[in-house]
Amino acid sequence: MKSTAASAPRPFDEEAALADIARLMNAGAGARAEELAWTLVRRRNPGQGLGKRPRTPVERALRGVFLSHALLRARLFARAAREAGRALADDPTQADAAMIEAAALYQNGNWEEAVPAARRALALRPTLAPTLALLLQALLDLGRVREAEAEARGALARLGTDPDVARAAAGALVRRGHVDEARAALERLGSHPQRGPEFLALAAQALTTHGRHGEALPLYRVAAARAPRLAEAHAGLIACLHAQGREAEATQARERALRALPRFSHENFDFHVPLSLTPCPEPTPDEAPAPLDPTRALLVNGIGVLPARPLGIAQIKGAVEANGAFQCALVDLNALVYRDFIRALRQGETDLEFDGRADLDDAFARMEQLDPLFVDPEGYKTLAPRLLMALSLTGRTLQGQFERAAQGRGPVSWVVEACAAHLLAQHAAVIGFSLTFTDQLPFTLQCARLVKARRPETVVVFGGGFFKDSNLEGFLAEPCVDAVILGEGEGAFLALLEAHRDGRPLSSVPGVVRHDPDTETITRQPNTATVRPGDLPFADFGDTPADAYLTPVPVVPILSSRGCYWRRCTFCNHFASYAASYKAAPVARVVDELAHHVARGIRHFTFVDEMIPALRLRKLSEAILERGLDLRFYALAKPTADFTAETLALMRKAGCVCLYWGLESGSDRVLARMDKGNDVAGSARTLTLSAEAGIRNHVFLIVGFPGETRTDLRATLDFLHAHQDSIHAAVAGPFVLEPGTPIHAEPERFDIRHVYPARALCDSRLADYDIDASVRERLTQAQAARYADILRPSFFDTLSAYGPCLGTPRDHVVALYEHGPASLPPRAVPDPAEVWPLLEADMPRLSGVPDFVLTPRWRSTSAPDPQSPPACS
Ligand code: B12
Ligand code: SF4
C-alpha cells in the first residue's frame, strides 16, 4: 500500500515564501524573486485564469505587491518603497501597494514623503486603519498638527463607527490634548457588541492623560465588568484606585483581575507603595489656586532606570542661584520614587510578597553600613544581586506602566499623578524637565502633560543631553512643551527665567527652540549663553536626597572639562555634546570645587569628563595633594603612552582608586580603524604601570566593530587573558551605530553595506546595518550581539573579583576599592581557547547580570467591595 503521508503535498508556507523573495532580491536574483512572487499571486487567486507570467499591468502590479511586502518584512524599506511605487505606476488603483509604499517610506525615516503616500492609499481604501494611524503619526511627528487634527476629525466624521479607524483618530486627538473630543468618539463605540469594553477602556485612558482618574474610574469599572478578561480594564481600574488613594479597593480589584486572568500580575505589574512626595491640595471649585511665584523655578530629573546624582541640573541650580534673583529647586523624582519603592519593598510595606525579602533588606542594610561583607569580593557577589533585584523590580514596574501608557495600552500611572501633584504643590512659575537618558522620555512627557493640564500658566521647558537638533518638530508641537533649550543650560535657563519675569517672549532666549502654533514653524535661537567652565559657580546638590543613591557613602560627580580633547574615534559622538569643542576648567578651579564638597563631608567623587588626558590628571593630582584633600575618585581615560609610572603613582596618592580605560579592542587593525590613537602594546604598558601604581583598571570594549573579524575578536580575548593581572574588570558590549558618528556618516568606509535609518521623536534611534560579508570572517551585527552576550558571563565578567554586578551603580566602585582588601583574590579567567567553541554552540541568549524571575504573591483582603458592580460576561 502506498503511504499517504509520503504522497500528501506539503502545505505551502507563505511566510517562508515571503522570506525567500526578500533573500533572492537581496542576492540580486530578481527574476527568481519575481517568479516566486507570481506563484504567491496565483495561489491567492485560484480560478482567475492567471497565466505562468503576468501579462497585464494590473497583474504586474499584483506581483509588485508581494515583492514589496516581502521587502518591507525584511526591513529593506527603501527597496520596498521603490517596488511598491512601480506597482502603483502599473496600476494606480492598487490600494495594497499604496499602503505598503506609505509604510516603507515611514519606516525608512522619509516622514514627509510618507504623508502623501498614506493619503493616496486612504483615498483608494478609506478603511485602512494602520495607514491612517501612520499618517497621523507622521503629521504629528513633523509638527503639522493642524493637518493631523483635521485628518483625525475628518476620519471620525466619515468612518467614526469603524472601530479601528476611530481608535487611530482618537489616539491622535489625545496626543493633541483634545481629551473630551476623543472620549466622546470612543465612548460612542462603547456599545459595540464585541469591542465595546475595549473602547470604554480607551476612553478612560484618554481621561487619565489629563489626570482625570476620577472620571475614568467608572468607565474602567463597566469595561471590566462587561469583559472580565480585558486586562487593560483591570489595570486601569487598579491604577485609578491607587491614584485616588483607595488602596483596599485596589487590592480587591486586583484579586478580581487575578481570578479572571491568572497571569495578570506578571504582565501588568503594579503594586502600591506609599510615596513621600508632597501632595498638592485640590482647590475647591470656587477657590482660586495659589498664584505661581515668578522668582521660583524647579529643575526636575524624570524617572528612568537607575538613580544617579543629576549633575546637569545641579550645575544649572548653582549658576542660577548665584545670580541672586531666583530660587531654583532640584527635584530628582527618579531618586525620590526609587527610594520610596525600595524602602517599601525592604520593609514589606507593599501588598506584594516575594521570596527573599529578608535577604534583600539585609543586603541594603549591609551596603548602608559599609559592612565588611559588602566590601569583600565574595560577599559583594552575594549581596549585589539582591540590590539589583530591588532596582530591577522597581525599574521594570515603573517603566512598564509608563511605556504602556505611552503606547496607548494603559492608563497614566498613579506614580506620574503623584509626581505632578508634588511639582504643582511648589507653585513655581517655571518647571524645567531634564532628560539625559532615552528611558526618561515616557515618564517626563506624561508628567509634563499633567502639570500643563492642571496649571496651563506654568512655563514648561525641557533640556538635557538627550535633545539634539533633529526630529524636534513633533516634540515641540506637544501642547505641554513651551520650549526646549539646546546645549548648555546654565546661562540659557537663567535668561529664560529673566525673560519670563520681565514679560519678554521666550523665543528671544539663547538656546531656545519653539514651535509657533500659528505659523507651524520652528524658531531657533543659537545658544550664545555658553559658559566657560572656569567661571561657573559650583554644582549645587543641596536639594538631592542624601539617602537615595544606593551607595554606602555619598558620591558626587564632577565635570572638569566639556567635550573631548581627542574627538577622532570613528564610533563616537560624545564630542558633539559641546559643539565639538573642548573646554577645560583651570585645575585650581576644579580643586576648589572638590574642596567645597569636602567641606560638606563628601570624600568620594566620579570625574564624568569624556576623557581626561594624562598631563591634566597629573596636574590635578599634584593640586589635590598640595591642598591636602583626602579623597577617592575614579576617572575615564585613554590608555596612551604618556601615563608614566610617576604620573600614575601621583594619581594614586591623590586618591585615584580606579580608571575606566577606553581600550575598545586588542587588535591593532581594529584600533587603527577606530582612529583610537593608541596601539595594543602601548595600552598594555599603560595598564601594567597603572596596576603597579595600585590603581584598579576597568576597560571598555566593543564587540563587533564594523569590519572586525573573528581573528580580531580572538586577539582581544587573548590580550585580556595575557594581561589579566593588570585588568580588574571589563565592560563589554556589542557595537552600536549611532547617528552623528563618523561611521554613520561614511558607512561604506567601514564595510557597512546598508544602514537602516530609524527616525524617532526628538532623536534618531540607533541604526541597524548590514556588514559587507564578502570577507567571511567579518562579524555581522547579529553575531556581535550574540557573541557579546555569550562572552559576558563566560569570559569578560570573570575578570572582576567582585562579580558581574560591579558597576551597577557605578558609584559603588570608589567605596569598594577604598575599603575592600588591598590585594584582590585570584580570579579564574578561562583560557580563550576554552570559551571559543561556545560562540558556535546553539545556546539561548545570556546576560551577565542575573535576570530575576519574579513570582509575586499579593496580600489578599476579605473586606467586601462596595463599589463592585455585579460581574456579567
Ligand atoms: C556621567 C554619565 C553617566 C553616569 C550618570 C549620569 C547621570 N547623571 O545620571 C552613569 C555612570 C551612572 C551613567 C550610566 C549610563 N550611561 Co551615561 N553618561 C554619562 C555622561 C558621560 C555624562 C553625563 C553628564 O553628567 N554630563 C555633564 C552634565 C553637566 O551635562 P548634561 O547632563 O548634558 O547637562 C547640561 C545640558 O544638557 C543642559 N541641561 C541638562 N538638563 C537640563 C534641563 C533644562 C531644563 C535645561 C534648560 C538644560 C538642561 O545643561 C546642563 C549644563 O550645561 C554622558 C555623555 C555626555 N556627554 O552627556 C553619558 C550618557 C548620558 N550615558 C549614556 C548611557 C547609554 C549610559 C548607560 C545606559 C550605559 C550602560 N550601557 O550601562 C548607563 C545607564 C544609566 C541609566 N539609564 O540610568 C548615553 C545616553 C544615551 C541615551 N540617549 O540614553 C550617554 C549620552 C553617552 C553615550 N552617547 O552613549 N552615565
Ligand atoms: S571615544 Fe572617548 S576619546 Fe574617543 S572621541 Fe569619543 S570621547 Fe574622545
Side-chain angles (χ1 to χ4, degrees):
M1 208 169 71
K2 246 176 144 187
S3 148
T4 46
S7 63
R10 269 197 320 164
F12 185 79
D13 185 346
E14 195 168 292
E15 297 279 315
L18 285 169
D20 282 346
I21 292 173
R23 210 174 36 246
L24 289 166
M25 296 279 280
N26 212 18
R32 286 182 51 210
E34 286 181 356
E35 260 174 51
L36 190 48
W38 185 241
T39 310
L40 280 175
V41 175
R42 291 177 67 196
R43 291 189 68 89
R44 279 276 189 96
N45 300 278
Q48 302 286 314
L50 296 175
K52 287 209 161 139
R53 252 169 236 99
R55 284 171 305 221
T56 64
V58 170
E59 289 180 8
R60 271 206 308 276
L62 269 176
R63 183 182 63 188
V65 168
F66 281 90
L67 286 173
S68 54
H69 186 204
L71 290 165
L72 181 69
R73 287 168 51 121
R75 308 194 62 243
L76 298 165
F77 303 125
R79 292 179 67 184
R82 272 201 304 276
E83 206 57 57
R86 264 200 286 272
L88 278 166
D90 277 329
D91 179 3
T93 65
Q94 181 38 267
D96 287 336
M99 176 179 78
I100 292 170
E101 186 187 39
L105 287 167
Y106 182 80
Q107 293 286 349
N108 202 41
N110 307 99
W111 295 349
E112 293 83 353
E113 292 167 46
V115 168
R119 284 192 171 131
R120 179 180 183 172
L122 288 165
L124 291 169
R125 199 184 296 156
T127 52
L128 284 175
T131 308
L132 175 66
L134 180 152
L135 170 66
L136 296 171
Q137 173 102 355
L139 287 170
L140 290 174
D141 288 351
L142 287 164
R144 290 160 59 176
V145 292
R146 276 205 299 260
E147 277 175 82
E149 288 178 8
E151 290 282 358
R153 289 186 177 123
L156 282 175
R158 287 188 306 273
L159 288 160
T161 51
D162 179 316
D164 294 320
V165 168
R167 189 178 176 139
L173 291 176
V174 173
R175 191 167 148 191
R176 291 296 306 143
H178 302 301
V179 167
D180 287 316
E181 211 179 331
R183 172 203 186 160
L186 293 163
E187 260 192 280
R188 271 198 293 276
L189 283 154
S191 53
H192 190 279
Q194 287 84 37
R195 296 178 63 185
E198 174 194 334
F199 282 87
L200 292 179
L202 279 172
Q205 196 235 329
L207 289 166
T208 66
T209 62
H210 275 193
R212 291 159 63 179
H213 289 78
E215 289 168 75
L217 193 64
L219 292 175
Y220 278 131
R221 274 196 196 284
V222 176
R226 277 178 54 194
R229 297 183 61 77
L230 185 65
E232 286 88 342
H234 292 291
L237 184 53
I238 295 167
C240 288
L241 289 166
H242 281 325
Q244 300 205 316
R246 294 156 69 173
E247 298 319 322
E249 288 173 70
T251 304
Q252 290 159 359
R254 186 182 306 104
E255 283 170 1
R256 279 198 303 278
L258 280 166
R259 279 198 295 276
L261 298 158
R263 287 199 53 79
F264 174 78
S265 59
H266 288 76
E267 281 141 22
N268 298 275
F269 224 71
D270 185 1
F271 55 94
H272 190 257
V273 160
L275 293 179
S276 57
L277 301 169
T278 327
C280 182
E282 284 283 328
T284 56
D286 42 298
E287 183 192 352
L292 300 182
D293 179 350
T295 65
R296 192 167 163 73
L298 305 182
L299 284 163
V300 182
N301 189 37
I303 300 177
V305 295
L306 190 72
R309 274 194 175 73
L311 178 57
I313 51 175
Q315 293 273 183
I316 301 177
K317 174 181 164 74
V320 169
E321 291 198 339
N323 169 278
F326 300 95
Q327 215 198 344
C328 196
L330 290 196
V331 190
D332 189 350
L333 290 173
N334 193 39
L336 294 170
V337 170
Y338 263 80
R339 181 182 64 180
D340 287 346
F341 265 71
I342 287 170
R343 184 190 292 145
L345 287 172
R346 283 177 67 178
Q347 296 174 0
E349 285 176 3
T350 73
D351 44 1
L352 171 81
E353 282 289 345
F354 56 95
D355 294 330
R357 193 177 61 74
D359 287 344
L360 190 145
D361 184 40
D362 173 70
F364 275 95
R366 287 180 193 274
M367 180 198 68
E368 286 161 358
Q369 292 148 18
L370 252 182
D371 185 277
L373 199 64
F374 179 75
V375 296
D376 172 71
E378 283 308 314
Y380 189 83
K381 275 187 201 162
T382 317
L383 299 179
R386 294 178 187 163
L387 306 180
L388 276 191
M389 177 173 152
L391 272 171
S392 161
L393 184 50
T394 305
R396 277 202 246 161
T397 304
L398 295 171
Q399 282 303 341
Q401 292 177 22
F402 305 154
E403 273 162 24
R404 280 196 295 278
Q407 294 157 4
R409 293 191 295 118
V412 170
S413 163
W414 58 275
V415 177
V416 184
E417 174 73 17
C419 288
H422 178 73
L423 300 180
L424 287 167
Q426 305 184 46
H427 305 295
V430 178
I431 300 187
F433 285 94
S434 179
L435 268 127
T436 306
F437 300 104
T438 311
D439 50 44
Q440 290 176 300
L441 182 63
F443 167 84
T444 305
L445 207 44
Q446 288 161 32
C447 187
R449 282 184 188 137
L450 288 191
V451 164
K452 202 67 181 172
R454 296 257 167 82
R455 298 291 308 253
E457 69 276 34
T458 313
V459 176
V460 175
V461 188
F462 295 78
F466 167 79
F467 292 102
K468 316 277 181 303
D469 195 4
S470 55
N471 306 341
L472 267 176
E473 294 83 354
F475 186 83
L476 290 169
E478 281 279 339
C480 67
V481 179
D482 287 313
V484 169
I485 289 182
L486 289 178
E488 290 163 290
E490 290 89 343
F493 194 63
L494 175 59
L496 184 133
L497 295 180
E498 288 170 342
H500 175 61
R501 181 198 55 196
D502 304 343
R504 280 181 282 120
L506 298 188
S507 52
S508 63
V509 173
V512 156
V513 192
R514 268 170 72 81
H515 178 262
D516 179 339
D518 297 327
T519 58
E520 295 210 328
T521 52
I522 305 284
T523 53
R524 286 183 168 76
Q525 280 296 328
N527 192 342
T528 47
T530 51
V531 290
R532 294 193 339 169
D535 299 342
L536 273 179
F538 301 140
D540 183 343
F541 293 99
D543 299 330
T544 51
D547 56 347
Y549 294 99
L550 310 172
T551 51
V553 291
V555 183
V556 159
I558 294 277
L559 190 70
S560 94
S561 62
R562 296 185 174 201
C564 167
Y565 70 92
W566 178 247
R567 299 200 287 281
R568 279 170 59 174
C569 301
T570 51
F571 57 84
C572 174
N573 63 4
H574 289 201
F575 48 79
S577 327
Y578 302 99
S581 67
Y582 177 61
K583 304 190 281 190
V587 164
R589 160 68 180 62
V590 180
V591 179
D592 284 347
E593 180 155 12
L594 291 169
H596 165 86
H597 290 303
V598 170
R600 281 153 187 78
I602 310 287
R603 285 186 53 247
H604 296 82
F605 298 93
T606 61
F607 279 95
V608 297
D609 306 41
E610 313 284 3
M611 289 284 157
I612 310 186
L615 182 61
R616 185 169 166 81
L617 274 169
R618 184 192 172 100
K619 288 187 176 159
L620 270 171
S621 304
E622 283 167 351
I624 290 169
L625 291 168
E626 266 168 34
R627 204 61 91 78
L629 298 177
D630 173 25
L631 41 92
R632 300 289 178 272
F633 64 89
Y634 77 62
L636 275 65
K638 207 154 76 76
T640 46
D642 48 356
F643 278 94
T644 61
E646 199 199 345
T647 298
L648 289 158
L650 261 174
M651 287 165 56
R652 179 67 192 90
K653 209 167 156 201
C656 177
V657 289
C658 175
L659 286 168
Y660 277 86
W661 299 99
L663 176 66
E664 325 299 0
S665 170
S667 153
D668 275 332
R669 201 184 72 84
V670 173
L671 288 178
R673 288 167 68 87
M674 291 176 171
D675 203 357
K676 212 43 220 179
N678 47 287
D679 62 13
V680 173
S683 301
R685 258 192 318 277
T686 303
L687 291 171
T688 309
L689 291 176
S690 173
E692 282 169 5
I695 295 173
R696 303 274 157 78
N697 297 317
H698 290 198
V699 294
F700 288 123
L701 296 160
I702 294 174
V703 176
F705 183 81
E708 177 174 344
T709 61
R710 286 162 54 89
T711 311
D712 294 317
L713 177 60
R714 180 60 188 267
T716 301
L717 303 195
D718 290 338
F719 177 89
L720 297 176
H721 189 260
H723 298 93
Q724 55 178 290
D725 290 345
S726 45
I727 297 175
H728 306 98
V731 186
F735 172 79
V736 284
L737 179 55
E738 289 201 48
T741 59
I743 304 186
H744 195 267
E746 284 184 277
E748 59 297 337
R749 214 162 51 84
F750 296 90
D751 304 315
I752 291 180
R753 217 181 43 183
H754 189 86
V755 176
Y756 302 96
R759 236 168 119 176
L761 187 67
C762 297
D763 201 0
S764 306
R765 258 178 266 144
L766 304 175
D768 284 349
Y769 58 92
D770 281 341
I771 284 288
D772 177 351
S774 54
V775 175
R776 218 170 56 83
E777 277 246 293
R778 278 183 195 144
L779 301 182
T780 63
Q781 189 183 22
Q783 270 171 329
R786 184 179 142 77
Y787 287 5
D789 266 0
I790 293 172
L791 291 171
R792 219 174 284 128
S794 63
F795 189 79
F796 297 126
D797 288 345
T798 63
L799 284 150
S800 162
Y802 283 89
C805 298
L806 177 64
T808 317
R810 204 185 286 166
D811 291 356
H812 279 185
V813 162
V814 270
L816 291 176
Y817 286 161
E818 177 181 17
H819 297 282
S823 62
L824 293 175
R827 297 143 299 158
V829 182
D831 190 310
E834 283 170 34
V835 292
W836 202 246
L838 295 178
L839 299 184
E840 296 315 318
D842 188 18
M843 54 198 313
R845 276 174 78 89
L846 299 163
S847 168
V849 174
D851 200 17
F852 303 101
V853 181
L854 298 164
T855 45
R857 298 184 296 277
W858 304 95
R859 287 197 199 125
S860 67
T861 163
S862 48
D865 176 3
Q867 303 275 336
S868 171
C872 54
S873 52

